[in-house]
Amino acid sequence: MTAAREGVPLARPVLGDTEERLVLEVLRSGQLSLGPRVPAFERAFATRLGVAHASAVSSGTAGLHLALRAAGVTDGDEVVTSPFSFVASANAVLFERARPVFADIDPVTLNLDPGAAAAAVTQHTAAVLPVHIFGYPADLEAFERLGLPIVEDACEALGAVHADGVAVGGRGHPAVFGFYANKQLTTGEGGMVTTGDAAVKERLDAERNQGRAPDMGWLDHDRLGFNYRLSDLACALGLAQLERLDAMLAARAAAAAAYREALAGLASEVGLGLPCEDGAGAPGERRGWFVFVVQVPRGRDRDTVIRALRERGVQCKPYLPAIHLMSYYREAFGHREGEFPVCEDVAARSVALPFFPGLTEGQVARVSEALEEALQAP
Ligand SMILES: Cc1ncc(COP(=O)(O)O)c(C=O)c1O
């Protein structure tokens, strides 16, 4: 098979000598968990974001669960959030027997619309959970004006910056990052919760470790906790990934710029939707590139386009489906089509294209040609 005919994968992590060296050091040390790499990774991550504290956890989902508990969300509460997200952001609310109350999204940034969120607030609302979807910063200043506790789902948004220059995750609200293998920084599986509040950090650290307070003996637990720890092996990977983060983010931004140029014709001629540009919500906002998601023109069948791309060796997926229309949410809460029209329109037309640092010009051209052919097909 020639290089030109090889398939283009959807995502691919960047790993190198530093990862190997730091992970081997942990293996040789014999301390694979609850060791020094955990606080070292947390400190390095917090410093990078300009926030006081960070707690490493076993996944973004685990981090969301602990952050919601730290925000005081409990049985019977409501949490206003986006239906255009990965399902974990809503599921984490259910873990505490609270109810996710969805509100529609902004058609440009695809983030929770602050006006719609405000309209969804009731006397039962305990928190707002904005998601920085596809790495684009949500309008935190608008959510802060609601005067409610905020938990940020920043799982897709490492490297993103708000209009005021503060890094996403640096505002002091509990903000949750995910380190699954397709993320800007990966530890295989893993996550991090940042916070400006030392008491929240203490609670997160205790609850991720079976409810054991820092000064307690091994088997004394003063509260309910979980095993949401991240291992030293994973934290060593994270430290190595942090060292190369700037380069990886720059490579993702370059891949996005190459796509934007290659797809400009399809955008203007047939109405292919491209991700919004930096500053689309407010000047100064910057995306931390995670995925490159396009929207097929209205009237085209997205799944047919996906099949045509796959036939041409281009891996892609329908990303993201609307949470409220998933069968579990329909059955549990009676959600139906038509509730959140912007979200539903975007979700029905979205396709995630291959996207990772080091995506070559040739691969971008290959994907763009395949997309053009797919959109020309009847
Ligand atoms: C927006 C969003 N929230 C939550 C998560 C959950 O993170 P994890 O898979 O690490 O549990 C993800 C990860 O895919 C995500 O993209």
Side-chain angles (χ1 to χ4, degrees):
M1 187 182 267
T2 64
R5 288 211 191 108
E6 275 167 23
V8 188
L10 192 58
R12 180 184 283 162
V14 182
L15 302 165
D17 292 350
T18 316
E19 281 77 358
E20 199 174 313
R21 182 170 53 79
L22 296 190
V23 170
L24 278 174
E25 270 175 26
V26 176
L27 283 176
R28 289 184 183 127
S29 78
Q31 182 150 24
L32 306 191
S33 195
L34 289 171
R37 267 65 177 194
V38 181
F41 182 36
E42 291 172 340
R43 276 195 302 272
F45 195 88
T47 302
R48 159 99 205 184
L49 266 60
V51 65
H53 309 285
S55 293
V57 287
S58 53
S59 69
T61 309
L64 285 164
H65 186 194
L66 294 186
L68 285 162
R69 286 172 61 86
V73 172
T74 186
D75 211 345
D77 284 343
E78 294 177 354
V79 175
V80 176
T81 190
S82 173
F84 191 62
S85 175
F86 183 64
V87 69
S89 53
N91 282 352
V93 175
L94 297 179
F95 297 168
E96 286 302 306
R97 299 165 309 282
R99 181 187 173 107
V101 173
F102 299 114
D104 214 345
I105 59 169
D106 180 277
V108 175
T109 66
L110 311 185
N111 281 323
L112 182 62
D113 176 340
V121 170
T122 72
Q123 58 180 358
H124 304 294
T125 307
V128 184
L129 199 171
V131 182
H132 305 281
I133 203 67
F134 302 160
Y136 198 85
D139 185 355
L140 260 287
E141 283 187 16
F143 294 117
E144 285 160 359
R145 285 195 288 275
L146 295 177
L148 288 158
I150 291 174
V151 171
E152 299 177 46
D153 182 339
C155 283
E156 302 191 350
L158 185 55
V161 179
H162 289 288
D164 58 6
V166 175
V168 163
R171 301 187 86 80
H173 313 292
V176 183
F177 293 84
F179 303 144
Y180 177 67
N182 65 349
K183 295 294 193 294
Q184 290 92 335
L185 176 157
T186 186
T187 58
E189 298 279 359
M192 189 74 81
V193 187
T194 55
T195 172
D197 185 336
V200 169
K201 158 83 176 155
E202 195 182 309
R203 180 167 179 176
L204 295 167
D205 288 358
E207 292 192 1
R208 76 176 167 191
N209 190 18
Q210 309 287 10
R212 191 155 56 115
D215 58 343
M216 286 193 176
W218 170 226
L219 287 176
D220 195 9
H221 304 260
D222 69 347
R223 67 194 96 183
L224 178 66
F226 308 85
N227 180 354
Y228 286 165
R229 296 187 301 265
L230 193 62
S231 73
D232 273 51
L233 287 165
C235 289
L237 258 182
L239 280 164
Q241 290 267 289
L242 260 186
E243 279 186 25
R244 64 172 80 246
L245 183 61
D246 283 326
M248 293 193 297
L249 289 173
R252 281 179 183 268
Y259 264 138
R260 204 179 278 293
E261 196 181 327
L263 298 175
L266 284 179
S268 61
E269 284 153 29
V270 297
L272 180 77
L274 300 183
C276 69
E277 304 247 21
D278 284 354
E285 288 171 349
R286 213 165 65 230
R287 189 191 296 270
W289 279 99
F290 166 54
V291 279
F292 197 90
V293 174
V294 295
Q295 291 161 41
V296 302
R298 288 197 179 78
R300 300 304 306 254
D301 181 49
R302 186 264 316 270
D303 297 337
T304 307
V305 172
I306 285 182
R307 269 195 301 280
L309 283 170
R310 287 183 182 156
E311 277 162 17
R312 288 164 175 77
V314 173
Q315 283 188 24
C316 56
K317 62 177 181 179
Y319 190 79
L320 287 154
I323 297 176
H324 66 288
L325 297 181
M326 292 182 179
S327 49
Y328 177 75
Y329 280 84
R330 283 178 189 260
E331 282 160 28
F333 300 101
H335 288 299
R336 291 289 172 264
E337 277 88 358
E339 281 181 83
F340 308 107
V342 181
C343 165
E344 290 167 28
D345 173 57
V346 171
R349 295 191 293 124
S350 291
V351 182
L353 300 179
F355 191 68
F356 46 87
L359 190 73
T360 65
E361 278 180 26
Q363 287 172 317
V364 169
R366 176 104 197 273
V367 174
S368 307
E369 280 158 26
L371 190 54
E372 189 168 355
E373 286 168 16
L375 289 172
Q376 274 164 1

